[in-house]
Amino acid sequence: MYDYAYEDDVLSVLRVLKLLKERQPQRFAYLQKAYKELTAETMEELVWEAVWELFDESWNDFDEDFETEVWTIRDASIDAFWGNLRKRALASGSSKACEGLLKDTLAYFLDCSGNSVVRIECHTHSTAAQIRLWMSPDVYEPSTLGCDVVAFLQYVEAENKRYENQTIKEAA
Amino acid sequence: MFEFSPAAFAKRLTELPARPAPIPVGTYSQYLQEHVFDVLRQGKPVDLTALDFSAFSFSDVTPDYYPVLAARNDDDWAQGFNGYVKRTPAVPCGEASFF
């Protein structure tokens, strides 16, 4: 579309940064100052850092058994999504299904590219969900992962809004 | 003995999260052409502090491959679901579960 060799990577970076500006404006401002410029050389590093800044909390550690990086994420919109899933499941009598639904939703989006995330764990209690993502030791595709995370967060936020509107409608 | 209740099944479907909408095909942005791609093509860096992120939409920053990948992912999940349904026996389970 733009007649540039790394067009898709550039668009992915801008996609992630645009969502970061909406969700976490202070962190966006920090990355803007830290990187200052977008170049072909810094793009991958920038998008990798921006992806994890999209969540309210994120931290990484190393799994010695799988020899790979593991990211733990927590976010208010994921907590709200989990809360809504749980309410629906309890109301319909299928409380076991909601954890599976949360994991399936994560797998649907974060496994879209099929390469970067190799394992997903959800640790939940009544009001919050903590997600653990095992990254592939062989594949490093931050641009595609960035698009997957943006799609996931946009879906979760749209679902939260839909559930809120539905609840208001039912209460009226 | 439990009977299949179409009303209960339909109600259960409405309680599930909505199916993700397809990712729309990307659109062209003159702003990105001038302020990003023309700059990069000249071998110069793009000034992130000067870039106006409100001047383009998410549709303008959709990589060409991504809607295709997302649609294929959706098809793969639908095929996986069909695979589960085919293996489900046509007998009452006695509890609220699909598989």
Side-chain angles (χ1 to χ4, degrees):
Chain A
M1 209 182 319
Y2 298 102
D3 192 25
Y4 181 69
Y6 303 106
E7 175 177 317
D8 286 341
D9 290 332
V10 172
L11 291 174
S12 301
V13 173
L14 294 176
R15 190 176 182 82
V16 173
L17 288 176
K18 186 168 170 67
L19 189 65
L20 184 66
K21 188 170 195 285
E22 282 179 15
R23 287 177 55 89
Q24 311 280 0
Q26 285 185 325
R27 293 181 192 177
F28 169 79
Y30 167 79
L31 281 184
Q32 231 183 358
K33 279 189 195 157
Y35 281 85
K36 292 190 183 67
E37 292 169 343
L38 178 68
T39 65
E41 291 76 32
T42 59
M43 260 192 315
E44 272 194 353
E45 189 187 327
L46 171 57
V47 74
W48 183 256
E49 200 168 333
V51 161
W52 304 112
E53 294 296 338
L54 284 168
F55 303 102
D56 291 339
E57 294 175 55
S58 62
W59 63 93
N60 65 325
D61 52 77
F62 193 78
D63 186 320
E64 300 287 347
D65 294 331
F66 287 93
E67 292 185 351
T68 189
E69 202 175 31
V70 183
W71 278 88
T72 305
I73 56 176
R74 287 203 54 187
D75 193 85
S77 59
I78 300 176
D79 290 344
F81 183 69
W82 161 247
N84 294 336
L85 282 180
R86 199 164 168 270
K87 278 183 214 162
R88 285 190 192 121
L90 289 172
S92 61
S94 55
S95 58
K96 291 178 196 172
C98 49
E99 278 210 25
L101 273 174
L102 176 62
K103 198 169 175 184
D104 278 350
T105 306
L106 283 157
Y108 179 93
F109 286 100
L110 300 187
D111 203 28
C112 180
S113 60
N115 296 324
S116 296
V117 177
V118 294
R119 185 174 151 191
I120 299 171
E121 268 184 17
C122 302
H123 301 275
T124 58
H125 62 79
S126 57
T127 55
Q130 184 169 287
I131 315 299
R132 300 235 323 141
L133 305 173
W134 273 252
M135 310 311 293
S136 167
D138 305 313
V139 173
Y140 178 67
E141 291 182 359
S143 299
T144 318
L145 177 66
C147 287
D148 291 345
V149 169
V150 166
F152 168 69
L153 288 172
Q154 288 180 327
Y155 172 78
V156 158
E157 283 169 5
E159 267 302 287
N160 290 343
K161 199 163 263 180
R162 189 178 76 90
Y163 186 75
E164 194 184 311
N165 290 340
Q166 196 179 326
T167 309
I168 292 168
K169 207 172 162 186
E170 283 167 4
Chain B
M1 185 166 162
F2 288 93
E3 283 184 8
F4 175 72
S5 164
F9 182 72
K11 185 173 184 296
R12 183 68 60 84
L13 285 180
T14 62
E15 289 162 358
L16 290 172
R19 187 173 177 176
I23 306 281
V25 172
T27 50
Y28 176 81
S29 162
Q30 185 61 35
Y31 180 84
L32 290 178
Q33 181 71 68
E34 288 171 13
H35 293 84
V36 175
F37 293 101
D38 288 348
V39 171
L40 288 170
R41 204 177 297 112
Q42 290 167 32
K44 296 176 188 170
V46 173
D47 184 353
L48 282 175
T49 58
L51 200 61
D52 181 5
F53 280 80
S54 60
F56 54 90
S57 64
F58 278 103
S59 175
D60 295 332
V61 286
T62 303
D64 272 347
Y65 73 86
Y66 199 70
V68 175
L69 201 69
R72 198 179 307 147
N73 180 56
D74 196 62
D75 285 345
D76 289 346
W77 274 79
Q79 282 186 32
F81 176 78
N82 285 340
Y84 273 123
V85 169
K86 279 180 186 170
R87 290 197 294 271
T88 303
V91 294
C93 295
E95 63 176 13
S97 67
F98 288 128
F99 307 110

